[in-house]
């Protein structure tokens, strides 16, 4: 048998995983409270201010990234011949496909702001406590990154011959594909700002608590590299 070209057996690479979708942020802030009032003709004379409404929580969290596709394993290569004729050494490479990268996790979304408190009438501040601002809405979590796909395995290479025109007619190598990279974690959503509390004379303004931030996702795990195949290139006494 006469060969004049190198031989490459390549497994297909895995596809990249799709990215996760971002979460949906709150669409509406908390409404502000209503101011209190004083009316000497009413009993009681003072009507209290109302509290601000709490902010809306984020509507949806970020979704997880998709896992990368696995690399395909390379086919085995077997060649047996009586006489191996080559002008120069032939290279045979069997290479498993690389794993696809994992998709990134979607980002979390934000909560909305709480409403501000209504203000008490100046004539009623001594008899009524200040109204409270609404707390901020909570942010949602980020999605996890998708795992990287595993690398494909290299195929086995077997070359045997009775005689050859060169001392070493074949250089052979079998390698596994590289594992895919895990996807990035989605970023946590932010809690909304707390509304302003009612004012107390002589004191600095205060606010209700902000909403709780979401939790960032976890990065995807890397794929596992493929294994190398076995390689056997040698003369033989019989085919």
């Amino acid at each position: 048998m006469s060969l004049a070209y190198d031989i490459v057996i390549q497994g297909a690479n895995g596809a990249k995983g799709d990215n996760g979708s971002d979460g949906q942020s709150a669409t509406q802030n908390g409404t502000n409270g209503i101011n209190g009032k004083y009316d000497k003709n009413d009993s009681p004379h003072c009507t209290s201010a109302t509290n601000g409404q709490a902010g809306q929580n984020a509507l949806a969290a970020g979704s997880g990234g998709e896992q990368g596709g696995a690399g395909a394993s390379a086919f085995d290569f077997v060649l047996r011949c009586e006489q191996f004729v080559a002008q120069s050494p032939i290279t045979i490479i069997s290479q498993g496909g690389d794993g696809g990268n994992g998709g990134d996790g979607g980002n979390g979304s934000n909560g909305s702001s709480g409403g501000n408190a209504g203000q008490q009438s100046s004539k009623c501040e001594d008899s009524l406590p200040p109204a409270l601002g609404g707390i901020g809405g909570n942010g949602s979590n980020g999605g996890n990154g998708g795992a990287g796909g595993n690398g494909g395995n290299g195929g086995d290479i077997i070359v045997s011959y009775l005689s050859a025109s060169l001392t070493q007619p074949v250089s052979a190598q079998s390698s596994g594909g590289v594992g895919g990279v895990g996807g990035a974690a989605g970023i946590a959503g932010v809690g909304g700002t707390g509304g302003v509390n009612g004012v107390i004379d002589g004191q600095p303004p205060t606010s209700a608590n902000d909403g709780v931030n979401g939790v960032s996702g976890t990065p995807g795990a890397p794929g596992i590299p493929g294994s190398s195949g076995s390689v056997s290139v040698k003369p033989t006494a019989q085919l």
Side-chain angles (χ1 to χ4, degrees), residues 9-14 69-75 94-100 149-155 175-180 224-227:
I9 306 151
Q10 174 70 58
N13 293 333
S73 294
F75 292 112
S94 181
Q95 176 67 54
D98 294 337
N150 295 337
N153 297 329
S175 302
V178 177
I224 300 171
S227 301

Side-chain angles (χ1 to χ4, degrees), residues 5 60 86 125 134-135 139 147 153 161 165 167 196-197 216 236:
Y5 300 99
E125 290 178 346
I135 61 174
N153 297 329
Y161 48 88
S165 60
T167 304
V196 178
N197 295 322
S216 294
T236 183

Side-chain angles (χ1 to χ4, degrees), residues 19-25 59-64 104-109 140-143 186-187:
N19 293 334
S21 300
D22 292 340
Q24 184 178 356
S25 292
L59 301 180
S63 62
D104 297 335
N107 293 328
S109 51
S140 65
N141 297 339
I187 299 171

Side-chain angles (χ1 to χ4, degrees), residues 63-145:
S63 62
E66 185 182 33
Q67 182 175 0
S73 294
F75 292 112
D76 295 338
F77 180 84
V78 179
L79 174 62
R80 293 185 174 92
C81 60
E82 292 185 359
Q83 186 178 23
F84 197 115
V85 178
Q87 295 182 353
S88 59
I90 300 299
T91 299
I92 301 175
I93 296 175
S94 181
Q95 176 67 54
D98 294 337
N101 294 338
D104 297 335
N107 293 328
S109 51
N110 300 332
S112 66
S113 299
N116 296 329
Q119 300 299 321
Q120 303 289 16
S121 167
S122 59
K123 295 183 178 181
C124 302
E125 290 178 346
D126 292 337
S127 59
L128 294 175
L132 302 176
I135 61 174
N138 297 333
S140 65
N141 297 339
N144 296 331

